[in-house]
Each structure stands twice: as C-alpha cells, then as structure tokens.
Amino acid sequence: MNLIVIALLTLGIIGAVSAIILYFVAKKFHVYEDPRIDEVEAALPAANCGGCGFPGCRGFANACVKADTLDGLFCPVGGNDTMQKVAGILGKTAVTAVPTVAVVRCGGTCDHRPRMNEYDGVKHCFIAHNLYSGETGCSWGCLGLGDCEVSCEFDAIKVNPVTKLPEVDEDKCTSCGACVKACPKLLIELRKKGPKSRRIYVSCRNEDKGHIAKKSCDVSCISCSKCEKVCPHEAITITNNLAFIHDDKCKLCRKCVEVCPTNAIVELNFPPRKVKEESMTPKEEQLVG
Amino acid sequence: MKTFRIGGIHPKENKFSAGKQIQVAELPKQVVIPLSHYIGTPSEAVVKKGDVVKVGQLIGKANGFISANVHSSVSGKVNKIDVQLDATGYKRPAVYIDVEGDEWLETIDRSTEIKRECNLSKEEIVRKIQDAGIVGLGGATFPTHVKLSPPPGKKANILIINAVECESYLTCDHQLMLEKGEEILVGTTILMKALEVNRAVIGIESNKKDAIVHLQQLAKNFKGIEVEALKVRYPQGGEKQLIDAVVRRQVPSGRIPIEVGAVVQNVGTTYAVYEAVQKNKPMIERVMTITGKTAPNPGNYLVRLGTYLSSVVDQAGGVPEGTGKIVGGGPMMGRSLMNLNVPMAKGSSGVVFIKEEESIRKPVKNCIRCAKCVTVCPMGLEPFLLMNQSERNMWAEMEDNRTMDCIECGSCSYTCPSNRPLLDYIRFGKTTVGGIIRNRTAKK
Amino acid sequence: MDKLIISPAPHIHGGDSVSKNMTGVIIALVPALLVGLYFFGLGALVVTLTAVASCIFFEYLIQKFMLKGSSTVMDGSAALTGLLLALNLPSNIPVWMVVIGSLVAIGIGKMSFGGLGNNPFNPALIGRVFLLISFPVEMTTWPRPVPFSAAYLDAETAPTTLAMIKGHFGEIPSTLDLFIGNMGGSLGEISAVAILIGLVYLLVKKIITWHIPVSILATVFIFTGILNLVNPELYASPVVHLFSGGLMLGAVFMATDYVTSPMNPRGMLVYGIGIGIITVVIRTFGAYPEGVSFAILIMNAFTPLINTYIKPKRFGERVKI
Ligand code: SF4
Ligand code: SF4
Ligand code: SF4
Ligand code: SF4
C-alpha cells in the first residue's frame, strides 16, 4: 500500500514539475504567428510543389500575409480562383495571370532525327547531357531520358516510348515550372495556354546554322526567316539562328505554320484548316498524300 | 615497394602495345587544330583564312592566365576558322589548315642531338614553356606554366615526375621513356631549375622494369634525380595519390599539391618541356597509343596535333570488327567517342577499341552493401552513400560527405559486384554541389 | 554493331558479381559442412538439403507472386541463407521445423524488407533465433558426434561444451577435440579448423576483409582471458570459449554478412568488438549458454548508426603542414 502511494506521489510530482517547465518554455519560446497564415494555407492547393518560388505552401502563405500587395505572388497550381480566395482573406487585390502550360520545344522524333550512337549510361538527362551531346546529331534536342517526367509532381509530362519525346497532359499540368528547371537542354517553356488551349510555337531549340541543323533533324528550325516575314503582328523574332514566337504578340493567325519549310512550327488544338490545293507546300502535299 | 595508402584497384593490364617502337604517323591532308582546351578559356585565333603558316607558327594566342598558346602542327594554308565537333559532340572553335609540304620555322632545332646544357634563368624557362603552349599531357591538360608559378608564399621542395601510366592498355609514356630517356632527364633538370628545387623523383610502376632500369642508369649522371619503382596500383597516376605514394604526404581536402610542397608533372610533359626549352619546339605533336584486345596492330604513334583520329587509326590497321566502343584515353577515365572524326588534341593519350560484348554495361542490381566500393576508393569516400544521396538530390549531405574530393577515378564503379553506376551519379552530384558552392562563394 | 556505344567512364568492369561472392561464401562453407556430415551423418544431410531447398523455393515464390521483380534466385543468396541456417541447427531437428525456419528466414528476415540488400538483420539468424525461441527443446538437444552415423531423429544426444561450462558438469573436451570438432553442437559450428580454412579462402578471394572476424575473436579471447585470470574456477579458459559453440561460425560467416555489417574498416572493428563483448556477457552472465546469434542481431541493429557516425579514413584528413 505504502509503496503504491509513494510511487503515485513520485510520478505525480515529476508530472507536475515537467508541466510547469513546459509551460514556461512554451511561453518563453512562443512565436506569434498571424492566424491568417493558417487560413491562407488552407485555401492553397497543398501541392507543396514550389512552383510559386517558395518552399512549400506555408512559405507562400506567409509571404502573402507579410506582403503589402499581392503583386508578383502567384500560385500556378491553384490559378486565379485560389488567388482570388487568398485576396479575399487578406483584403488585398490579386493580380490575374494568364494561365500558362508547359510546352516542349523539340519535335525530333525518331523518324525525324536518326540516332547515331547508343547511350548506355544511367537513364538521366542531366548525366547524359554532361557527358556528351546526345544520341542524335542534334546537340540541342531532347535526350528522352525523362528528367522532366521525374520532376513533375502532377504526373503531367511523360516521355512517349515510341517517339522518345515528352508529351504534356494539358489538363494535369499546373504550370509549376519544375520540369523547366529539370531539363538540362532548356527545352521546356511555360507558354500562354491560349483561348481554347490553342497555341502556336516553334518546336525547336537548335541554334546551329540552317544547313547544319537540317542535316541533324528534319523538323529543325533552319532560321530561313520566312515566318518572321509573314507574321503580320511582329510576333516572331530570330536570334542565334532560331525563330521564337512571343506569345503576348501572337494572334494565332497560323500564317507562319503554313510557310515553315521544315514544319518546325507547331499548332495545337486548332480545327483542321480548309485545304486549298494550290497553297500547299510540297512538304504538306506529302503529308496529306 | 611504395604505393599510395588508401584504396586502389589492379585492373588487368592489357598493355598490348608495350615495347612497340614509336612510329611517326603520316602527314594528313588537312588538320583541324582545336583552339579550346578542356580547362580554361579558349585561345584566340591570330591567323585568318588564306594565311600561309609554317610548322610551329603561333595560330592561337592564350586568352587569360589559365589558357595556352596553340601552334600550327603543319605547314600550309588556313582553310577556315570555324567550329568543330569535339569528342563530346559539342562545338568548339578550331583552325582548319590544308597541308602543303612540311616546312618548319627556322628557329626550331630539328636535329636529334641531345642538348644538355641550359643556362636560362627561372623566369626565362617559364616564359619559354608558356610560349610553347605546353599543357599537362596526362589528360587534364592544365597549362604547365601555371603549375610552375606557385602562388605567393608557397614554395615547392620536390618535383615528382608522373611516369606511372596506371591506366591499362596505354603505353605511350612507357615507350617515350625507353626512347627518349635522356631527354626526359634533361627536361626534369630544367623543371627543377624552374621550380628551384634540388630533388626530383620519377615515379614508375614496377610493370615497366625496362624503363626503370634504363632511367636509373641514366639518372646516375644527373644530380638530385631519383627513379622510384612503385607497386602497380590504379589510380597511382592521380596527382594526390602519386604524392602520397612517393613522399607520404596527403594533400588536404580541397587544396592543391603545392600546399604540401610538391609539384607533379607528367613524363610526356617533361619531354615536351625539353623540346620547348632546348630546341625551341612548341607543342605540336605527341605520342599516342592505338590499342585494344582486337586491334590488328597495336602501337605507339607520334602524331601531329589536329590530325583526325580516323587517319591515325587507319594507319594502325583500322577499326577492328566487332568493336562496340571506342575510348579516347584510357579505359578507366577516358571518354567514349561517337566517331573517329575528331581531331587529336593535346590531351589525347590513346585510342582503345573495346569489344562489343565488353562495352555494354551489365544490369544494375540492388546494392548488397558489400563495402567493396568503400574499400577501393582512393579518397576514402563512401561511393554507395554518395550515389544514394545523388539519386535523392540530397546535395547538402553530399557536400558533408566530401563528394568534391572524388577524383573520378572510377574504381568504385569498376569494382561494384552489383554493377551500380556509382561514378555516374557521383559526377552528377559533384557538378550540382560544385555549382551550389560557387553560387555561395559568389554571394559572399 | 552499327552504332557505337557511349557511356560515362569507367569503360571496363572488374567482373565481380553478386553471385560470384555468394558462391564464394558457399565454397568457403564446404569444409564445415563436410565435418558436419562426417560427425552427424544422415541427419546433417537431411537438414542441409531441406534448408537450402526450402529457402530457394520460398524466395522464388515470394519474388514471383509478391514482389514481382526479376528473379533473384540465381544470385545464390537464398541458397547461402539456407546453408547458413542449416549449419546453425542441430542435426536431429525435424524436417518441418527446418522448413518453418527457412520460411521465417527468407520471408520475414529478407523479402519483407525488399530482398537482398535491404534487410537490416541477418536472415539466417532470424530463422535460427525464431526456432530457438519457439522450440527451445528441439533446438538445444544436440546429437553426440558419431562418425558416419545413420541415425537422424533418434540420434543419441550430448550436451555442448558451453552448456557444460554454464552448468558446471561433465568433462570439457580436450582442446584438440574442440579444434577438430569432436563434440556436441550444431551441424556446422563444431569444427574450428574447418571454419578457419573457410576464413582463409574468404580472405584470399577478397570476399571479406579481416576486420570483423579478427576483432570478434580477439575481443572474446581477451575478455574471457581476463575473466579466467580473475577466477579460473568459475570462468572457462579463453581457448575453450574461442573454439566452442557458434563463435567461430558466427564470427566468420554470420557477422560478416555484407548487408547487415558496417561498411568501412573502422566501423567493422567497432561492430566486431561489440559482438565479442555481448557474446561473452551472455555466455557468462546471461540465461542462455550461447549468445553469438543474439550478439550479432543486436549489433546488426546498431549497424545503421555505426555507418552514420563512423566514416572511413578520408584521404588527406590528417593535415600535417
Ligand atoms: S508538366 Fe512541368 S509545369 Fe506542368 S505540372 Fe508537370 S512539372 Fe509542372
Ligand atoms: S525534355 Fe529535357 S528533361 Fe525532358 S526528356 Fe527531353 S531532355 Fe530530358
Ligand atoms: S570515382 Fe570517386 S568515389 Fe569512386 S573510387 Fe574514385 S575517388 Fe572514390
Ligand atoms: S560495391 Fe556496389 S554493392 Fe558493394 S557496397 Fe558499393 S555500391 Fe553496394
């Protein structure tokens, strides 16, 4: 009996002392946190992908609460809806951003770009890129080893085993930018999603002179500047032997797609165009035929 | 017999071209002389299209301190200055020269007579070496004059000549020692003078008995030069390993050899120094080994810089049937070539043909934690751990585990019974961690 | 070959492989197995064959139907686990127990963690300790060694040397008998000389390094030597400790298991010393007469810790300028 009482007492005292110590420690080290951080965090998609440029959603919530305005703060995953909610909580105004999506600027599938050697190292784009230019003659193009696929938290980009090129699933892509950072060849770009997901872009990063580029890949940009001339909106510029379409100027008229001799310009989600026999380039004839 | 104290392996030597006389390769029709080097800034071209050049004429001027002069290796007309795909498949600037005759600059002494006396001052020697565009011929192609100019406050007290040639297959240094032994010793005295040291050790692995005996005999006439036979062990040719083997000093992590008072030079470089200082001959040719288990005619060739490897290989009997991989350099640290249309550069020590069945890597299995990679790592690292961390992008942990110390010798990948691509991942980690460190120091 | 192969250096491989190492260990176990067969005859044969066959079988099944990876049976590690398990069992144990032991060793000890390379504990020891705890009687009655005996379950039994020391009864066999293996005990642990031959083979073939076995044996020798000096009446001589029980087998074959031992020489020494001390403590002060298996399992649990805190000797660590 006595023993039990002593045991109970001892334990009780230890408990009480610890509780007091804990209480003071908690008091002393208490950090005041704005309760709105929790609220904002709850409104965020909890993907913790880092697409906003902060470590995790909480970091972003913290930044939103601290900042005077929400300029430059944007959660690509949640998009405008989420930002509206956050703005509501904080009583600030959110900037609306145009939705973007990842595009891979390489069209060098296996039949356009013959393989010249066989890579037998680790299946890792960065490692292969550090070693040499790649299996094909084009030292700019996709290596097809899937660093982008691994980096994507949303399962939105996958290397197609047949073409050995990654393909983006528009519905899943949150435009977080992880793949952009992962690609050692700098092929991936976040572009305006465009009305009805319609986009036009130059699917090539080859900065070699035209004849060299053409030799290594059929669908490379050979910087012939036809697209630059035909574009009525001055949306296309050519730098370092490579055409680039600025998505803020492009009005999606599709004139450039028609003139490109190598089919390096890609149009996505457009309805099929009315075929006018005489305006077809020989290349297109082949394709249609 | 001495050797380095941590790790190491002993791959099968396969020195098929040992004892083969150095043959002078035919003059090619065109040479493409690269202006860039593996290390440092590319040189600036000082000739233009249509210029007529002679052998030994300067065509590329060093650009900055860690850069080297480039000289024409042939006489003829500059065809163009353009880019050229190097062994990695990326484009590098190069000078194309169409060969016409073989006319050398008059200043170059082409006689074979050995010139032993050298009365130049230390500064004059270094300048001559710098003008001649001499770089380390062991593979890293670090400019030699930089190594001969220690940073202020540091002083060398020993010169080590790296003649171990620990890579299997290669024999170019071995043959050079047999044929040009005395020149090498004169070169060593010149380097000693430039460094103001009175002791030099030539480290040779004991599988080159004839070279050891030959040099030992010759060294009797030279003051302060010793020839040290070392146990055969890879990677003894690594600078830090060689210093440890010869003088039992370990270069601290992240430092350079001069910190322990040692300077290492390759034998090939030493010979080039002799030629530059005593004969005014710039770096325009080198000895390279063409070999392989199936090579029809393994041998050592004296080749002008900028010659396409394909032309040298053709003289050695061409690419054998069933070759799966062609390695430029030794099989442990060389790079696999995409084709032979690459010009020979200052660091090209050989071409090795690897049979198809030996070129494909075997399937990777789980790490069985056998610790063999740890045992063989000459830097005392834990390759299995570094690979795991690299796979998981744990850069801070990799840095703590000294990934930057890795000398990329490949012993770990060579040994792993599970065929794990350890070095591939470690190299990836090194690149990334290196970038992080650079960013950090730049910010400070 | 129309396309050349490109890969990062190194371009050659030493030719070592998992199966080569496993086969090497199996070959090193042959002398111990032969001695077991000689002294325990039929029983030893039955137990060994059952253990090896059932380990391979279970690994195949689990790999095929549960893990669904490529088959790992051919690498020899399952056969090795089976063999080690058998060598740690008395030769008169019923077959069904051997099968259960194998199932536990492979199923729980190895495959539940993801197969070779991921298991924290030595699978054969997991199997053995499971049997020891579940069937203490069968696991601790050892047959008397009779050359070329044909007896199996009905074999005449004999106590082990360690049990004699612990219980202070019987006459401890002569050092020569201990050395050769003419004493009661598990199938493969009796003959020190056979195991030492195996050790030499392992060292020559560079399958293991000397650190673990030597540190264990030395620790046991020194520790029991001190105890023996303090009180020779109570504590047996170090030589008897070295050559009796599962110490030799454990130090040479069980503790050196790649997967569960530390990965650098310094760590290996710490690990070996730990095993040595725990073994002696269990043997002399604990309830069980034999403690090698427990000691190894306990140190297995410390291996990750040792790997984290004890690093190999780095190049250029000692800065002497
Ligand atoms: S595809 Fe790229 S941008 Fe889109 S979600 Fe995946 S990683 Fe982010
Ligand atoms: S797009 Fe870039 S990261 Fe993706 S597979 Fe191609 S090279 Fe690799
Ligand atoms: S490549 Fe690096 S990690 Fe591997 S053995 Fe050599 S120094 Fe060690
Ligand atoms: S050599 Fe291979 S299997 Fe052995 S520990 Fe290193 S990585 Fe693992």
Side-chain angles (χ1 to χ4, degrees):
Chain A
M1 202 49 205
N2 211 359
L3 205 67
I4 293 175
V5 172
I6 291 175
L8 279 180
L9 268 178
T10 327
L11 284 180
I13 290 167
I14 292 176
V17 171
S18 317
I20 293 166
I21 292 174
L22 274 179
Y23 174 78
F24 280 109
V25 169
K27 261 255 132 88
K28 179 141 191 357
F29 291 101
H30 179 74
V31 181
Y32 172 76
E33 272 211 327
D34 197 325
R36 288 179 303 169
I37 296 180
D38 286 331
E39 259 178 86
V40 173
E41 195 187 353
L44 294 175
N48 287 317
C49 63
C52 49
F54 293 91
C57 292
R58 191 165 180 91
F60 181 65
N62 196 7
C64 286
V65 173
K66 291 235 174 81
D68 298 328
T69 64
L70 290 182
D71 290 353
L73 292 168
F74 191 77
C75 167
V77 180
N80 286 330
D81 294 347
T82 304
M83 287 316 290
Q84 284 308 330
K85 270 192 229 155
V86 172
I89 295 167
L90 299 174
K92 297 171 185 168
T93 40
V95 274
T96 42
V98 199
T100 54
V101 70
V103 295
V104 182
R105 288 176 293 167
C106 175
T109 55
C110 298
D111 35 330
H112 289 309
R113 207 166 46 135
R115 313 259 138 181
M116 332 256 276
N117 57 65
E118 209 178 308
Y119 177 67
D120 186 35
V122 175
K123 300 277 169 282
H124 198 308
C125 302
F126 193 98
I127 291 175
H129 170 74
N130 258 6
L131 180 69
Y132 78 129
S133 60
E135 284 187 324
T136 69
C138 171
S139 60
W140 305 88
C142 175
L143 298 163
L145 300 168
D147 276 16
C148 45
E149 184 174 332
V150 174
S151 74
C152 180
E153 304 240 351
F154 304 93
D155 217 17
I157 187 166
K158 288 250 165 60
V159 177
N160 183 329
V162 181
T163 59
K164 292 210 182 162
L165 285 182
E167 287 163 7
V168 180
D169 183 335
E170 288 178 18
D171 302 327
K172 288 188 184 159
C173 176
T174 61
S175 153
C176 71
C179 54
V180 177
K181 280 185 215 133
C183 178
K185 298 275 188 193
L186 309 176
L187 294 176
I188 308 180
E189 184 203 356
L190 297 178
R191 277 182 91 83
K192 261 194 209 162
K193 207 162 186 178
K196 296 198 195 130
S197 282
R198 289 179 182 168
R199 296 186 289 283
I200 295 179
Y201 60 94
V202 180
S203 184
C204 182
R205 281 273 295 141
N206 194 321
E207 292 180 8
D208 287 340
K209 291 203 187 87
H211 64 284
I212 302 176
K214 178 78 186 167
K215 223 193 274 168
S216 56
C217 175
D218 287 354
V219 290
S220 62
C221 168
I222 53 170
S223 58
C224 64
S225 71
K226 280 192 181 146
C227 52
E228 188 185 21
K229 283 189 199 113
V230 83
C231 179
H233 310 288
E234 296 187 338
I236 305 181
T237 51
I238 293 184
T239 29
N240 295 336
N241 306 317
L242 177 67
F244 181 75
I245 306 181
H246 298 269
D247 54 3
D248 46 346
K249 290 194 189 142
C250 171
K251 298 266 191 318
L252 303 175
C253 68
R254 296 203 268 170
K255 289 213 169 80
C256 51
V257 183
E258 280 160 27
V259 298
C260 179
T262 56
N263 292 327
I265 306 184
V266 172
E267 50 172 60
L268 276 183
N269 304 322
F270 281 91
R273 67 187 78 204
K274 286 171 245 118
V275 184
K276 273 190 271 155
E277 297 289 325
E278 61 277 9
S279 76
M280 275 209 286
T281 61
K283 191 97 194 188
E284 276 173 323
E285 254 165 55
Q286 264 179 11
L287 285 175
V288 174
Chain B
M1 226 180 294
K2 282 184 178 174
T3 188
F4 54 98
R5 287 171 289 176
I6 299 179
I9 56 176
H10 186 182
K12 207 149 174 285
E13 286 161 26
N14 289 330
K15 306 243 184 199
F16 304 115
S17 47
K20 296 271 174 69
Q21 283 260 312
I22 297 174
Q23 297 175 39
V24 180
E26 280 167 32
L27 264 189
K29 295 216 162 42
Q30 188 188 49
V31 292
V32 183
I33 302 178
L35 287 171
S36 70
H37 323 280
Y38 281 111
I39 288 181
T41 21
S43 319
E44 231 171 276
V46 293
V47 286
K48 51 186 193 307
K49 187 175 169 168
D51 280 4
V52 175
V53 293
K54 287 185 181 173
V55 180
Q57 188 175 331
L58 186 73
I59 55 172
K61 212 167 148 32
N63 198 351
F65 188 54
I66 303 195
S67 183
N69 282 345
V70 177
H71 301 81
S72 176
S73 60
V74 292
S75 60
K77 216 189 223 146
V78 176
N79 182 309
K80 58 179 173 179
I81 295 165
D82 200 356
V83 290
Q84 160 69 32
L85 294 183
D86 74 353
T88 59
Y90 294 115
K91 292 167 193 79
R92 303 287 144 107
V95 181
Y96 290 63
I97 302 171
D98 293 331
V99 181
E100 282 160 20
D102 192 21
E103 214 180 302
W104 292 55
L105 281 186
E106 292 76 35
T107 46
I108 301 173
D109 173 6
R110 294 186 67 193
S111 67
T112 48
E113 194 189 318
I114 297 171
K115 199 171 150 222
R116 292 181 186 81
E117 291 306 308
C118 171
N119 300 320
L120 299 174
S121 74
K122 174 188 166 199
E123 286 74 23
E124 282 167 327
I125 294 175
V126 175
R127 178 137 24 81
K128 264 194 143 170
I129 291 174
Q130 180 169 8
D131 289 346
I134 293 177
V135 297
L137 299 187
T141 61
F142 196 79
T144 302
H145 66 267
V146 181
K147 271 197 182 175
L148 294 179
S149 328
K154 298 277 185 301
K155 169 102 183 63
N157 51 34
I158 186 166
L159 167 71
I160 300 174
I161 303 296
N162 181 351
V164 294
E165 202 160 54
C166 58
E167 278 267 20
S168 42
Y169 291 95
L170 301 187
T171 57
C172 48
D173 287 351
H174 181 186
Q175 199 53 35
L176 194 68
M177 284 188 277
L178 290 180
E179 292 181 27
K180 309 278 179 195
E182 191 148 10
E183 286 90 334
I184 289 170
L185 289 167
V186 176
T188 310
T189 23
I190 294 171
L191 285 172
M192 284 162 73
K193 202 163 172 196
L195 285 165
E196 296 179 308
V197 297
N198 42 30
R199 183 170 170 228
V201 178
I202 304 182
I204 310 179
E205 282 192 348
S206 59
N207 56 0
K208 293 178 261 295
K209 294 247 159 44
D210 45 355
I212 298 174
V213 172
H214 182 57
L215 287 193
Q216 260 165 353
Q217 215 110 69
L218 293 171
K220 283 183 193 139
N221 307 326
F222 290 86
K223 217 172 122 261
I225 302 182
E226 299 153 37
V227 178
E228 178 90 51
L230 301 168
K231 201 173 145 201
V232 182
R233 199 113 161 280
Y234 177 87
Q236 195 137 243
E239 240 180 14
K240 294 184 170 182
Q241 275 63 35
L242 186 61
I243 297 172
D244 188 27
V246 174
V247 287
R248 301 274 134 181
R249 294 180 208 158
Q250 294 195 342
V251 181
S253 169
R255 305 290 181 77
I256 50 170
I258 192 77
E259 302 266 344
V260 294
V263 170
V264 180
Q265 294 288 356
N266 174 277
V267 261
T269 317
T270 313
Y271 178 61
V273 164
Y274 162 81
E275 288 199 311
V277 176
Q278 304 293 69
K279 306 261 177 178
N280 291 321
K281 184 177 153 197
M283 176 80 233
I284 53 158
E285 56 189 1
R286 71 159 291 161
V287 183
M288 78 187 302
T289 305
I290 311 279
T291 182
K293 281 187 189 160
T294 49
N297 198 1
N300 306 301
Y301 296 83
L302 183 67
V303 189
R304 303 277 175 99
L305 286 188
T307 311
Y308 277 112
L309 289 185
S310 53
S311 111
V312 193
V313 167
D314 283 346
Q315 288 171 50
V319 180
E321 270 300 299
T323 298
K325 195 188 258 181
I326 302 178
V327 179
M332 290 299 288
M333 290 183 83
R335 7 175 97 252
S336 41
L337 303 176
M338 289 189 275
N339 51 49
L340 286 171
N341 293 329
V342 275
M344 135 119 195
K346 289 179 181 175
S348 312
S349 48
V351 172
V352 182
F353 304 111
I354 309 239
K355 283 195 287 184
E356 206 176 320
E357 54 279 21
E358 288 174 21
S359 359
I360 301 170
R361 292 188 177 181
K362 293 196 205 70
V364 176
K365 295 193 178 160
N366 270 2
C367 169
I368 56 167
R369 310 176 58 76
C370 64
K372 292 196 181 185
C373 52
V374 183
T375 316
V376 299
C377 177
M379 298 306 289
L381 308 177
E382 296 159 291
F384 76 98
L385 183 71
L386 295 175
M387 169 171 168
N388 280 348
Q389 291 173 337
S390 173
E391 272 181 310
R392 290 173 183 69
N393 298 358
M394 295 159 70
W395 312 127
E397 288 83 349
M398 278 192 91
E399 197 186 337
D400 290 347
N401 282 304
R402 289 201 182 191
T403 185
M404 296 311 285
D405 279 8
C406 170
I407 57 167
E408 305 188 18
C409 67
S411 304
C412 46
S413 297
Y414 173 89
T415 309
C416 179
S418 287
N419 300 307
R420 296 182 69 73
L422 296 157
L423 181 52
D424 295 14
Y425 274 103
I426 296 174
R427 223 185 259 119
F428 170 41
K430 266 187 81 176
T431 320
T432 319
V433 173
I436 293 173
I437 295 175
R438 267 197 304 281
N439 272 345
R440 199 168 54 213
T441 40
K443 257 187 215 146
K444 267 184 199 158
Chain C
M1 168 82 19
D2 45 343
K3 288 181 208 154
L4 287 176
I5 294 167
I6 306 287
S7 64
H11 303 290
I12 46 177
H13 187 268
D16 200 357
S17 71
V18 177
S19 50
K20 264 192 200 165
N21 284 297
M22 297 298 162
T23 326
V25 182
I26 293 177
I27 292 173
L29 280 168
V30 166
L33 180 66
L34 288 181
V35 174
L37 289 177
Y38 173 75
F39 281 121
F40 302 121
L42 181 66
L45 190 65
V46 173
V47 170
T48 311
L49 289 182
T50 320
V52 171
S54 46
C55 277
I56 293 179
F57 180 66
F58 289 132
E59 168 140 343
Y60 174 76
L61 283 191
I62 295 174
Q63 190 73 45
K64 178 134 197 186
F65 295 108
M66 292 170 74
L67 293 183
K68 305 223 176 12
S70 58
S71 172
T72 50
V73 173
M74 289 318 289
D75 68 16
S77 65
L80 178 58
T81 305
L83 188 55
L84 281 175
L85 178 67
L87 294 182
N88 270 299
L89 297 176
S91 62
N92 55 350
I93 186 169
V95 165
W96 62 271
M97 282 187 198
V98 179
V99 175
I100 290 182
S102 309
L103 179 61
V104 171
I106 293 291
I108 295 177
K110 181 172 163 197
M111 302 311 269
S112 67
F113 297 101
L116 185 67
N118 300 324
N119 47 310
F121 298 104
N122 187 331
L125 280 183
I126 294 271
R128 160 156 202 235
V129 167
F130 177 83
L131 290 179
L132 184 63
I133 296 170
S134 317
F135 312 108
V137 180
E138 287 82 351
M139 284 294 289
T140 48
T141 39
W142 287 276
R144 180 179 296 284
V146 181
F148 301 115
S149 105
Y152 172 31
L153 294 174
D154 50 349
E156 196 185 334
T157 60
T160 62
T161 317
L162 285 174
M164 294 180 207
I165 300 171
K166 194 104 198 174
H168 301 287
F169 67 85
E171 195 174 327
I172 293 172
S174 71
T175 310
L176 185 65
D177 275 349
L178 284 173
F179 195 58
I180 289 175
N182 191 5
M183 60 177 167
S186 296
L187 214 163
E189 69 185 26
I190 46 173
S191 171
V193 65
I195 294 170
L196 287 176
I197 293 172
L199 174 63
V200 170
Y201 181 81
L202 289 180
L203 291 177
V204 167
K205 284 277 172 187
K206 297 214 171 103
I207 294 172
I208 60 169
T209 53
W210 58 267
H211 303 83
I212 295 178
V214 170
S215 61
I216 295 180
L217 298 177
T219 312
V220 170
F221 189 82
I222 294 168
F223 196 9
T224 51
I226 294 171
L227 290 175
N228 184 253
L229 281 184
V230 173
N231 188 347
E233 299 281 295
L234 205 56
Y235 305 111
S237 86
V239 178
V240 173
H241 268 289
L242 267 198
F243 292 152
S244 59
L247 183 66
M248 276 285 168
L249 187 68
V252 176
F253 291 102
M254 316 294 282
T256 55
D257 172 39
Y258 282 155
V259 185
T260 55
S261 60
M263 303 195 46
N264 64 69
R266 293 182 193 176
M268 289 175 185
L269 292 179
V270 171
Y271 169 85
I273 293 170
I275 292 178
I277 292 176
I278 299 175
T279 305
V280 179
V281 167
I282 297 181
R283 276 187 179 181
T284 43
F285 308 113
Y288 280 95
E290 175 56 310
V292 179
S293 309
F294 292 109
I296 294 174
L297 286 178
I298 291 170
M299 289 312 287
N300 282 170
F302 280 104
T303 297
L305 207 65
I306 295 177
N307 278 337
T308 314
Y309 289 105
I310 301 181
K311 293 292 175 191
K313 184 192 272 169
R314 310 288 200 196
F315 184 94
E317 198 168 41
R318 297 159 299 154
V319 184
K320 273 195 287 181
I321 323 174

